[in-house]
Amino acid sequence: MERKTIPFKILSVTITMGMEIIRTGGIQLETTNNMRDYSRLKGITLVLLAALLWGVSGTVAQYLFHHQKFSPEWLVVVRLLASGVILLFFAYRQDPTSVFLIVKKKDQAVPLLLFAIFGMLGVQYTYFASIDHGNAAAATVLQYLAPVLIAAWI
């Protein structure tokens, strides 16, 4: 059985995956084929869950806009704030010092702010506004057709 050593920030832990126990001694974690299989299965599961949730989000948004009279602005703000808080929570649990690096490195704040406003907010708002004015299927087609239209225009 092939073993690979990966640097890992942990002092002492025992992880049980059902088939084999992996022990850390100091700062290194030994992985086995079983661990890689578990990581692969976990990755595939997370990708499928993300695709399912993304697909459902458009339909749920359409229901909220057309039947419950929610506005796209409200949904975009709530969605981006909630996801930002969740991502910061997981980032803080992974490495508490890295969450606050943006405050220390001011030169990265402007590009991040521009991406947040024009990248995330712009894309999310236009996607949900198109769902509000039409339906989820048309909004999805327009979203994925946009790069082709931009390339044709240039």
Side-chain angles (χ1 to χ4, degrees), residues 51-86:
L52 175 73
L53 291 175
W54 184 86
V56 169
S57 72
T59 307
V60 170
Q62 182 176 336
Y63 172 78
L64 290 174
F65 297 153
H66 296 175
H67 298 290
Q68 300 297 322
K69 304 303 179 201
F70 280 76
S71 71
E73 295 83 8
W74 180 86
L75 186 59
V76 168
V77 168
V78 169
R79 181 178 164 132
L80 289 178
L81 285 176
S83 61
V85 168
I86 291 168

PDB file of all heavy atoms in Angstrom, residues 51-86:
ATOM      1  N   ALA A  51     -24.229  21.621  -7.340  1.00  0.00           N
ATOM      2  CA  ALA A  51     -25.002  21.701  -8.579  1.00  0.00           C
ATOM      3  C   ALA A  51     -26.499  21.630  -8.299  1.00  0.00           C
ATOM      4  O   ALA A  51     -27.286  22.382  -8.882  1.00  0.00           O
ATOM      5  CB  ALA A  51     -24.582  20.576  -9.528  1.00  0.00           C
ATOM      6  N   LEU A  52     -26.886  20.756  -7.395  1.00  0.00           N
ATOM      7  CA  LEU A  52     -28.297  20.639  -7.037  1.00  0.00           C
ATOM      8  C   LEU A  52     -28.817  21.928  -6.410  1.00  0.00           C
ATOM      9  O   LEU A  52     -29.876  22.436  -6.797  1.00  0.00           O
ATOM     10  CB  LEU A  52     -28.492  19.469  -6.061  1.00  0.00           C
ATOM     11  CG  LEU A  52     -29.895  19.306  -5.508  1.00  0.00           C
ATOM     12  CD1 LEU A  52     -30.816  18.759  -6.585  1.00  0.00           C
ATOM     13  CD2 LEU A  52     -29.882  18.397  -4.302  1.00  0.00           C
ATOM     14  N   LEU A  53     -28.061  22.482  -5.463  1.00  0.00           N
ATOM     15  CA  LEU A  53     -28.490  23.715  -4.802  1.00  0.00           C
ATOM     16  C   LEU A  53     -28.521  24.889  -5.774  1.00  0.00           C
ATOM     17  O   LEU A  53     -29.403  25.746  -5.695  1.00  0.00           O
ATOM     18  CB  LEU A  53     -27.586  24.020  -3.608  1.00  0.00           C
ATOM     19  CG  LEU A  53     -27.727  23.057  -2.434  1.00  0.00           C
ATOM     20  CD1 LEU A  53     -26.703  23.375  -1.358  1.00  0.00           C
ATOM     21  CD2 LEU A  53     -29.129  23.073  -1.873  1.00  0.00           C
ATOM     22  N   TRP A  54     -27.555  24.947  -6.699  1.00  0.00           N
ATOM     23  CA  TRP A  54     -27.565  26.027  -7.684  1.00  0.00           C
ATOM     24  C   TRP A  54     -28.792  25.906  -8.585  1.00  0.00           C
ATOM     25  O   TRP A  54     -29.466  26.892  -8.875  1.00  0.00           O
ATOM     26  CB  TRP A  54     -26.288  26.005  -8.530  1.00  0.00           C
ATOM     27  CG  TRP A  54     -26.251  27.155  -9.468  1.00  0.00           C
ATOM     28  CD1 TRP A  54     -25.795  28.414  -9.220  1.00  0.00           C
ATOM     29  CD2 TRP A  54     -26.715  27.177 -10.821  1.00  0.00           C
ATOM     30  NE1 TRP A  54     -25.949  29.204 -10.323  1.00  0.00           N
ATOM     31  CE2 TRP A  54     -26.517  28.469 -11.321  1.00  0.00           C
ATOM     32  CE3 TRP A  54     -27.288  26.216 -11.651  1.00  0.00           C
ATOM     33  CZ2 TRP A  54     -26.852  28.831 -12.611  1.00  0.00           C
ATOM     34  CZ3 TRP A  54     -27.629  26.583 -12.941  1.00  0.00           C
ATOM     35  CH2 TRP A  54     -27.405  27.877 -13.409  1.00  0.00           C
ATOM     36  N   GLY A  55     -29.098  24.705  -9.024  1.00  0.00           N
ATOM     37  CA  GLY A  55     -30.260  24.505  -9.876  1.00  0.00           C
ATOM     38  C   GLY A  55     -31.563  24.838  -9.177  1.00  0.00           C
ATOM     39  O   GLY A  55     -32.475  25.416  -9.764  1.00  0.00           O
ATOM     40  N   VAL A  56     -31.651  24.494  -7.914  1.00  0.00           N
ATOM     41  CA  VAL A  56     -32.862  24.770  -7.140  1.00  0.00           C
ATOM     42  C   VAL A  56     -32.989  26.259  -6.832  1.00  0.00           C
ATOM     43  O   VAL A  56     -34.105  26.785  -6.750  1.00  0.00           O
ATOM     44  CB  VAL A  56     -32.855  23.927  -5.849  1.00  0.00           C
ATOM     45  CG1 VAL A  56     -33.930  24.359  -4.882  1.00  0.00           C
ATOM     46  CG2 VAL A  56     -33.021  22.455  -6.178  1.00  0.00           C
ATOM     47  N   SER A  57     -31.881  26.963  -6.705  1.00  0.00           N
ATOM     48  CA  SER A  57     -31.939  28.374  -6.300  1.00  0.00           C
ATOM     49  C   SER A  57     -32.691  29.239  -7.311  1.00  0.00           C
ATOM     50  O   SER A  57     -33.432  30.140  -6.921  1.00  0.00           O
ATOM     51  CB  SER A  57     -30.530  28.934  -6.073  1.00  0.00           C
ATOM     52  OG  SER A  57     -29.848  29.097  -7.297  1.00  0.00           O
ATOM     53  N   GLY A  58     -32.523  28.974  -8.591  1.00  0.00           N
ATOM     54  CA  GLY A  58     -33.244  29.743  -9.594  1.00  0.00           C
ATOM     55  C   GLY A  58     -34.743  29.514  -9.528  1.00  0.00           C
ATOM     56  O   GLY A  58     -35.551  30.451  -9.622  1.00  0.00           O
ATOM     57  N   THR A  59     -35.129  28.265  -9.340  1.00  0.00           N
ATOM     58  CA  THR A  59     -36.550  27.929  -9.239  1.00  0.00           C
ATOM     59  C   THR A  59     -37.166  28.521  -7.980  1.00  0.00           C
ATOM     60  O   THR A  59     -38.284  29.048  -8.009  1.00  0.00           O
ATOM     61  CB  THR A  59     -36.725  26.401  -9.255  1.00  0.00           C
ATOM     62  OG1 THR A  59     -36.052  25.874 -10.390  1.00  0.00           O
ATOM     63  CG2 THR A  59     -38.179  26.010  -9.302  1.00  0.00           C
ATOM     64  N   VAL A  60     -36.447  28.442  -6.876  1.00  0.00           N
ATOM     65  CA  VAL A  60     -36.938  29.023  -5.621  1.00  0.00           C
ATOM     66  C   VAL A  60     -37.045  30.547  -5.747  1.00  0.00           C
ATOM     67  O   VAL A  60     -38.014  31.161  -5.294  1.00  0.00           O
ATOM     68  CB  VAL A  60     -36.039  28.616  -4.432  1.00  0.00           C
ATOM     69  CG1 VAL A  60     -36.381  29.401  -3.178  1.00  0.00           C
ATOM     70  CG2 VAL A  60     -36.146  27.128  -4.179  1.00  0.00           C
ATOM     71  N   ALA A  61     -36.062  31.161  -6.387  1.00  0.00           N
ATOM     72  CA  ALA A  61     -36.113  32.613  -6.594  1.00  0.00           C
ATOM     73  C   ALA A  61     -37.320  32.993  -7.443  1.00  0.00           C
ATOM     74  O   ALA A  61     -38.009  33.976  -7.152  1.00  0.00           O
ATOM     75  CB  ALA A  61     -34.826  33.100  -7.248  1.00  0.00           C
ATOM     76  N   GLN A  62     -37.579  32.215  -8.492  1.00  0.00           N
ATOM     77  CA  GLN A  62     -38.739  32.491  -9.339  1.00  0.00           C
ATOM     78  C   GLN A  62     -40.028  32.409  -8.524  1.00  0.00           C
ATOM     79  O   GLN A  62     -40.906  33.258  -8.647  1.00  0.00           O
ATOM     80  CB  GLN A  62     -38.783  31.503 -10.500  1.00  0.00           C
ATOM     81  CG  GLN A  62     -39.936  31.739 -11.450  1.00  0.00           C
ATOM     82  CD  GLN A  62     -39.876  30.797 -12.652  1.00  0.00           C
ATOM     83  OE1 GLN A  62     -38.820  30.302 -13.007  1.00  0.00           O
ATOM     84  NE2 GLN A  62     -41.017  30.546 -13.245  1.00  0.00           N
ATOM     85  N   TYR A  63     -40.134  31.408  -7.667  1.00  0.00           N
ATOM     86  CA  TYR A  63     -41.314  31.285  -6.806  1.00  0.00           C
ATOM     87  C   TYR A  63     -41.425  32.488  -5.865  1.00  0.00           C
ATOM     88  O   TYR A  63     -42.506  33.052  -5.692  1.00  0.00           O
ATOM     89  CB  TYR A  63     -41.251  29.983  -6.004  1.00  0.00           C
ATOM     90  CG  TYR A  63     -42.335  29.875  -4.969  1.00  0.00           C
ATOM     91  CD1 TYR A  63     -43.631  29.524  -5.334  1.00  0.00           C
ATOM     92  CD2 TYR A  63     -42.072  30.146  -3.629  1.00  0.00           C
ATOM     93  CE1 TYR A  63     -44.634  29.440  -4.392  1.00  0.00           C
ATOM     94  CE2 TYR A  63     -43.073  30.070  -2.681  1.00  0.00           C
ATOM     95  CZ  TYR A  63     -44.356  29.714  -3.066  1.00  0.00           C
ATOM     96  OH  TYR A  63     -45.347  29.652  -2.130  1.00  0.00           O
ATOM     97  N   LEU A  64     -40.309  32.873  -5.254  1.00  0.00           N
ATOM     98  CA  LEU A  64     -40.335  34.011  -4.326  1.00  0.00           C
ATOM     99  C   LEU A  64     -40.719  35.308  -5.028  1.00  0.00           C
ATOM    100  O   LEU A  64     -41.478  36.114  -4.483  1.00  0.00           O
ATOM    101  CB  LEU A  64     -38.968  34.178  -3.652  1.00  0.00           C
ATOM    102  CG  LEU A  64     -38.570  33.104  -2.645  1.00  0.00           C
ATOM    103  CD1 LEU A  64     -37.142  33.326  -2.161  1.00  0.00           C
ATOM    104  CD2 LEU A  64     -39.534  33.085  -1.478  1.00  0.00           C
ATOM    105  N   PHE A  65     -40.228  35.517  -6.233  1.00  0.00           N
ATOM    106  CA  PHE A  65     -40.516  36.755  -6.953  1.00  0.00           C
ATOM    107  C   PHE A  65     -41.962  36.797  -7.455  1.00  0.00           C
ATOM    108  O   PHE A  65     -42.633  37.810  -7.329  1.00  0.00           O
ATOM    109  CB  PHE A  65     -39.569  36.936  -8.138  1.00  0.00           C
ATOM    110  CG  PHE A  65     -38.122  37.066  -7.753  1.00  0.00           C
ATOM    111  CD1 PHE A  65     -37.130  36.679  -8.635  1.00  0.00           C
ATOM    112  CD2 PHE A  65     -37.741  37.562  -6.523  1.00  0.00           C
ATOM    113  CE1 PHE A  65     -35.797  36.799  -8.299  1.00  0.00           C
ATOM    114  CE2 PHE A  65     -36.408  37.678  -6.174  1.00  0.00           C
ATOM    115  CZ  PHE A  65     -35.434  37.293  -7.069  1.00  0.00           C
ATOM    116  N   HIS A  66     -42.438  35.708  -8.022  1.00  0.00           N
ATOM    117  CA  HIS A  66     -43.743  35.713  -8.692  1.00  0.00           C
ATOM    118  C   HIS A  66     -44.917  35.437  -7.756  1.00  0.00           C
ATOM    119  O   HIS A  66     -46.023  35.908  -8.012  1.00  0.00           O
ATOM    120  CB  HIS A  66     -43.753  34.726  -9.849  1.00  0.00           C
ATOM    121  CG  HIS A  66     -42.793  35.102 -10.931  1.00  0.00           C
ATOM    122  ND1 HIS A  66     -42.567  34.302 -12.020  1.00  0.00           N
ATOM    123  CD2 HIS A  66     -41.994  36.187 -11.116  1.00  0.00           C
ATOM    124  CE1 HIS A  66     -41.674  34.874 -12.816  1.00  0.00           C
ATOM    125  NE2 HIS A  66     -41.314  36.016 -12.278  1.00  0.00           N
ATOM    126  N   HIS A  67     -44.690  34.677  -6.685  1.00  0.00           N
ATOM    127  CA  HIS A  67     -45.804  34.301  -5.811  1.00  0.00           C
ATOM    128  C   HIS A  67     -45.758  34.966  -4.436  1.00  0.00           C
ATOM    129  O   HIS A  67     -46.806  35.205  -3.846  1.00  0.00           O
ATOM    130  CB  HIS A  67     -45.863  32.780  -5.647  1.00  0.00           C
ATOM    131  CG  HIS A  67     -46.094  32.056  -6.936  1.00  0.00           C
ATOM    132  ND1 HIS A  67     -47.294  32.099  -7.604  1.00  0.00           N
ATOM    133  CD2 HIS A  67     -45.271  31.299  -7.691  1.00  0.00           C
ATOM    134  CE1 HIS A  67     -47.205  31.396  -8.706  1.00  0.00           C
ATOM    135  NE2 HIS A  67     -45.976  30.900  -8.796  1.00  0.00           N
ATOM    136  N   GLN A  68     -44.565  35.221  -3.934  1.00  0.00           N
ATOM    137  CA  GLN A  68     -44.440  35.806  -2.598  1.00  0.00           C
ATOM    138  C   GLN A  68     -44.085  37.287  -2.632  1.00  0.00           C
ATOM    139  O   GLN A  68     -43.923  37.915  -1.599  1.00  0.00           O
ATOM    140  CB  GLN A  68     -43.388  35.042  -1.776  1.00  0.00           C
ATOM    141  CG  GLN A  68     -43.713  33.577  -1.586  1.00  0.00           C
ATOM    142  CD  GLN A  68     -44.992  33.362  -0.809  1.00  0.00           C
ATOM    143  OE1 GLN A  68     -45.282  34.090   0.134  1.00  0.00           O
ATOM    144  NE2 GLN A  68     -45.774  32.363  -1.202  1.00  0.00           N
ATOM    145  N   LYS A  69     -43.890  37.838  -3.818  1.00  0.00           N
ATOM    146  CA  LYS A  69     -43.623  39.270  -4.037  1.00  0.00           C
ATOM    147  C   LYS A  69     -42.343  39.764  -3.365  1.00  0.00           C
ATOM    148  O   LYS A  69     -42.268  40.878  -2.875  1.00  0.00           O
ATOM    149  CB  LYS A  69     -44.817  40.128  -3.591  1.00  0.00           C
ATOM    150  CG  LYS A  69     -46.125  39.749  -4.247  1.00  0.00           C
ATOM    151  CD  LYS A  69     -46.019  39.824  -5.756  1.00  0.00           C
ATOM    152  CE  LYS A  69     -47.352  39.416  -6.381  1.00  0.00           C
ATOM    153  NZ  LYS A  69     -47.220  38.995  -7.752  1.00  0.00           N
ATOM    154  N   PHE A  70     -41.303  38.925  -3.336  1.00  0.00           N
ATOM    155  CA  PHE A  70     -39.982  39.354  -2.883  1.00  0.00           C
ATOM    156  C   PHE A  70     -39.337  40.159  -4.004  1.00  0.00           C
ATOM    157  O   PHE A  70     -39.658  39.967  -5.177  1.00  0.00           O
ATOM    158  CB  PHE A  70     -39.097  38.152  -2.554  1.00  0.00           C
ATOM    159  CG  PHE A  70     -39.364  37.535  -1.217  1.00  0.00           C
ATOM    160  CD1 PHE A  70     -40.473  36.733  -1.013  1.00  0.00           C
ATOM    161  CD2 PHE A  70     -38.500  37.743  -0.157  1.00  0.00           C
ATOM    162  CE1 PHE A  70     -40.723  36.156   0.206  1.00  0.00           C
ATOM    163  CE2 PHE A  70     -38.737  37.167   1.063  1.00  0.00           C
ATOM    164  CZ  PHE A  70     -39.853  36.372   1.258  1.00  0.00           C
ATOM    165  N   SER A  71     -38.388  41.005  -3.661  1.00  0.00           N
ATOM    166  CA  SER A  71     -37.685  41.768  -4.695  1.00  0.00           C
ATOM    167  C   SER A  71     -36.304  41.147  -4.941  1.00  0.00           C
ATOM    168  O   SER A  71     -35.701  40.575  -4.029  1.00  0.00           O
ATOM    169  CB  SER A  71     -37.528  43.225  -4.263  1.00  0.00           C
ATOM    170  OG  SER A  71     -36.593  43.323  -3.220  1.00  0.00           O
ATOM    171  N   PRO A  72     -35.790  41.270  -6.156  1.00  0.00           N
ATOM    172  CA  PRO A  72     -34.448  40.751  -6.441  1.00  0.00           C
ATOM    173  C   PRO A  72     -33.384  41.426  -5.584  1.00  0.00           C
ATOM    174  O   PRO A  72     -32.410  40.789  -5.180  1.00  0.00           O
ATOM    175  CB  PRO A  72     -34.228  41.059  -7.918  1.00  0.00           C
ATOM    176  CG  PRO A  72     -35.555  41.316  -8.489  1.00  0.00           C
ATOM    177  CD  PRO A  72     -36.424  41.785  -7.364  1.00  0.00           C
ATOM    178  N   GLU A  73     -33.569  42.714  -5.296  1.00  0.00           N
ATOM    179  CA  GLU A  73     -32.590  43.445  -4.479  1.00  0.00           C
ATOM    180  C   GLU A  73     -32.464  42.822  -3.097  1.00  0.00           C
ATOM    181  O   GLU A  73     -31.367  42.619  -2.587  1.00  0.00           O
ATOM    182  CB  GLU A  73     -32.985  44.924  -4.350  1.00  0.00           C
ATOM    183  CG  GLU A  73     -32.971  45.687  -5.647  1.00  0.00           C
ATOM    184  CD  GLU A  73     -34.246  45.532  -6.479  1.00  0.00           C
ATOM    185  OE1 GLU A  73     -35.252  44.938  -5.987  1.00  0.00           O
ATOM    186  OE2 GLU A  73     -34.232  45.982  -7.631  1.00  0.00           O
ATOM    187  N   TRP A  74     -33.607  42.514  -2.477  1.00  0.00           N
ATOM    188  CA  TRP A  74     -33.600  41.927  -1.144  1.00  0.00           C
ATOM    189  C   TRP A  74     -32.906  40.567  -1.165  1.00  0.00           C
ATOM    190  O   TRP A  74     -32.063  40.275  -0.317  1.00  0.00           O
ATOM    191  CB  TRP A  74     -35.034  41.771  -0.616  1.00  0.00           C
ATOM    192  CG  TRP A  74     -35.075  41.171   0.753  1.00  0.00           C
ATOM    193  CD1 TRP A  74     -34.967  41.827   1.932  1.00  0.00           C
ATOM    194  CD2 TRP A  74     -35.195  39.781   1.065  1.00  0.00           C
ATOM    195  NE1 TRP A  74     -35.018  40.931   2.970  1.00  0.00           N
ATOM    196  CE2 TRP A  74     -35.164  39.664   2.462  1.00  0.00           C
ATOM    197  CE3 TRP A  74     -35.341  38.631   0.297  1.00  0.00           C
ATOM    198  CZ2 TRP A  74     -35.266  38.443   3.118  1.00  0.00           C
ATOM    199  CZ3 TRP A  74     -35.433  37.400   0.950  1.00  0.00           C
ATOM    200  CH2 TRP A  74     -35.405  37.324   2.339  1.00  0.00           C
ATOM    201  N   LEU A  75     -33.261  39.743  -2.145  1.00  0.00           N
ATOM    202  CA  LEU A  75     -32.693  38.396  -2.208  1.00  0.00           C
ATOM    203  C   LEU A  75     -31.185  38.431  -2.442  1.00  0.00           C
ATOM    204  O   LEU A  75     -30.442  37.662  -1.836  1.00  0.00           O
ATOM    205  CB  LEU A  75     -33.383  37.571  -3.295  1.00  0.00           C
ATOM    206  CG  LEU A  75     -32.975  36.108  -3.359  1.00  0.00           C
ATOM    207  CD1 LEU A  75     -33.261  35.401  -2.045  1.00  0.00           C
ATOM    208  CD2 LEU A  75     -33.669  35.409  -4.507  1.00  0.00           C
ATOM    209  N   VAL A  76     -30.720  39.334  -3.305  1.00  0.00           N
ATOM    210  CA  VAL A  76     -29.287  39.433  -3.583  1.00  0.00           C
ATOM    211  C   VAL A  76     -28.525  39.850  -2.327  1.00  0.00           C
ATOM    212  O   VAL A  76     -27.494  39.262  -1.986  1.00  0.00           O
ATOM    213  CB  VAL A  76     -29.013  40.413  -4.748  1.00  0.00           C
ATOM    214  CG1 VAL A  76     -27.544  40.750  -4.857  1.00  0.00           C
ATOM    215  CG2 VAL A  76     -29.516  39.819  -6.050  1.00  0.00           C
ATOM    216  N   VAL A  77     -29.036  40.844  -1.618  1.00  0.00           N
ATOM    217  CA  VAL A  77     -28.364  41.316  -0.396  1.00  0.00           C
ATOM    218  C   VAL A  77     -28.311  40.210   0.641  1.00  0.00           C
ATOM    219  O   VAL A  77     -27.254  39.931   1.226  1.00  0.00           O
ATOM    220  CB  VAL A  77     -29.061  42.575   0.154  1.00  0.00           C
ATOM    221  CG1 VAL A  77     -28.570  42.898   1.548  1.00  0.00           C
ATOM    222  CG2 VAL A  77     -28.837  43.750  -0.774  1.00  0.00           C
ATOM    223  N   VAL A  78     -29.425  39.546   0.882  1.00  0.00           N
ATOM    224  CA  VAL A  78     -29.463  38.481   1.883  1.00  0.00           C
ATOM    225  C   VAL A  78     -28.555  37.322   1.477  1.00  0.00           C
ATOM    226  O   VAL A  78     -27.794  36.789   2.295  1.00  0.00           O
ATOM    227  CB  VAL A  78     -30.914  37.996   2.105  1.00  0.00           C
ATOM    228  CG1 VAL A  78     -30.958  36.723   2.919  1.00  0.00           C
ATOM    229  CG2 VAL A  78     -31.728  39.083   2.783  1.00  0.00           C
ATOM    230  N   ARG A  79     -28.612  36.953   0.214  1.00  0.00           N
ATOM    231  CA  ARG A  79     -27.804  35.829  -0.273  1.00  0.00           C
ATOM    232  C   ARG A  79     -26.299  36.117  -0.157  1.00  0.00           C
ATOM    233  O   ARG A  79     -25.534  35.278   0.324  1.00  0.00           O
ATOM    234  CB  ARG A  79     -28.190  35.548  -1.726  1.00  0.00           C
ATOM    235  CG  ARG A  79     -27.472  34.400  -2.354  1.00  0.00           C
ATOM    236  CD  ARG A  79     -27.989  34.196  -3.759  1.00  0.00           C
ATOM    237  NE  ARG A  79     -27.099  33.364  -4.527  1.00  0.00           N
ATOM    238  CZ  ARG A  79     -27.498  32.341  -5.245  1.00  0.00           C
ATOM    239  NH1 ARG A  79     -28.761  32.030  -5.296  1.00  0.00           N
ATOM    240  NH2 ARG A  79     -26.641  31.631  -5.932  1.00  0.00           N
ATOM    241  N   LEU A  80     -25.874  37.302  -0.586  1.00  0.00           N
ATOM    242  CA  LEU A  80     -24.448  37.628  -0.533  1.00  0.00           C
ATOM    243  C   LEU A  80     -23.961  37.823   0.901  1.00  0.00           C
ATOM    244  O   LEU A  80     -22.854  37.382   1.248  1.00  0.00           O
ATOM    245  CB  LEU A  80     -24.154  38.865  -1.369  1.00  0.00           C
ATOM    246  CG  LEU A  80     -24.263  38.667  -2.883  1.00  0.00           C
ATOM    247  CD1 LEU A  80     -24.008  39.970  -3.619  1.00  0.00           C
ATOM    248  CD2 LEU A  80     -23.311  37.585  -3.359  1.00  0.00           C
ATOM    249  N   LEU A  81     -24.760  38.463   1.740  1.00  0.00           N
ATOM    250  CA  LEU A  81     -24.350  38.627   3.144  1.00  0.00           C
ATOM    251  C   LEU A  81     -24.276  37.293   3.873  1.00  0.00           C
ATOM    252  O   LEU A  81     -23.318  37.032   4.607  1.00  0.00           O
ATOM    253  CB  LEU A  81     -25.297  39.581   3.877  1.00  0.00           C
ATOM    254  CG  LEU A  81     -25.134  41.054   3.570  1.00  0.00           C
ATOM    255  CD1 LEU A  81     -26.197  41.876   4.291  1.00  0.00           C
ATOM    256  CD2 LEU A  81     -23.747  41.535   3.960  1.00  0.00           C
ATOM    257  N   ALA A  82     -25.269  36.448   3.675  1.00  0.00           N
ATOM    258  CA  ALA A  82     -25.267  35.140   4.339  1.00  0.00           C
ATOM    259  C   ALA A  82     -24.090  34.287   3.876  1.00  0.00           C
ATOM    260  O   ALA A  82     -23.388  33.688   4.701  1.00  0.00           O
ATOM    261  CB  ALA A  82     -26.583  34.418   4.075  1.00  0.00           C
ATOM    262  N   SER A  83     -23.851  34.254   2.568  1.00  0.00           N
ATOM    263  CA  SER A  83     -22.730  33.443   2.076  1.00  0.00           C
ATOM    264  C   SER A  83     -21.395  34.017   2.528  1.00  0.00           C
ATOM    265  O   SER A  83     -20.465  33.271   2.840  1.00  0.00           O
ATOM    266  CB  SER A  83     -22.778  33.316   0.557  1.00  0.00           C
ATOM    267  OG  SER A  83     -22.684  34.577  -0.054  1.00  0.00           O
ATOM    268  N   GLY A  84     -21.279  35.345   2.593  1.00  0.00           N
ATOM    269  CA  GLY A  84     -20.045  35.959   3.085  1.00  0.00           C
ATOM    270  C   GLY A  84     -19.771  35.618   4.531  1.00  0.00           C
ATOM    271  O   GLY A  84     -18.634  35.291   4.901  1.00  0.00           O
ATOM    272  N   VAL A  85     -20.799  35.658   5.367  1.00  0.00           N
ATOM    273  CA  VAL A  85     -20.628  35.318   6.788  1.00  0.00           C
ATOM    274  C   VAL A  85     -20.252  33.846   6.943  1.00  0.00           C
ATOM    275  O   VAL A  85     -19.358  33.507   7.727  1.00  0.00           O
ATOM    276  CB  VAL A  85     -21.913  35.653   7.577  1.00  0.00           C
ATOM    277  CG1 VAL A  85     -21.892  35.047   8.966  1.00  0.00           C
ATOM    278  CG2 VAL A  85     -22.104  37.153   7.655  1.00  0.00           C
ATOM    279  N   ILE A  86     -20.899  32.977   6.172  1.00  0.00           N
ATOM    280  CA  ILE A  86     -20.582  31.545   6.247  1.00  0.00           C
ATOM    281  C   ILE A  86     -19.147  31.280   5.791  1.00  0.00           C
ATOM    282  O   ILE A  86     -18.405  30.533   6.438  1.00  0.00           O
ATOM    283  CB  ILE A  86     -21.589  30.727   5.417  1.00  0.00           C
ATOM    284  CG1 ILE A  86     -22.965  30.767   6.096  1.00  0.00           C
ATOM    285  CG2 ILE A  86     -21.132  29.288   5.238  1.00  0.00           C
ATOM    286  CD1 ILE A  86     -24.091  30.243   5.232  1.00  0.00           C
TER     287      ILE A  86
END
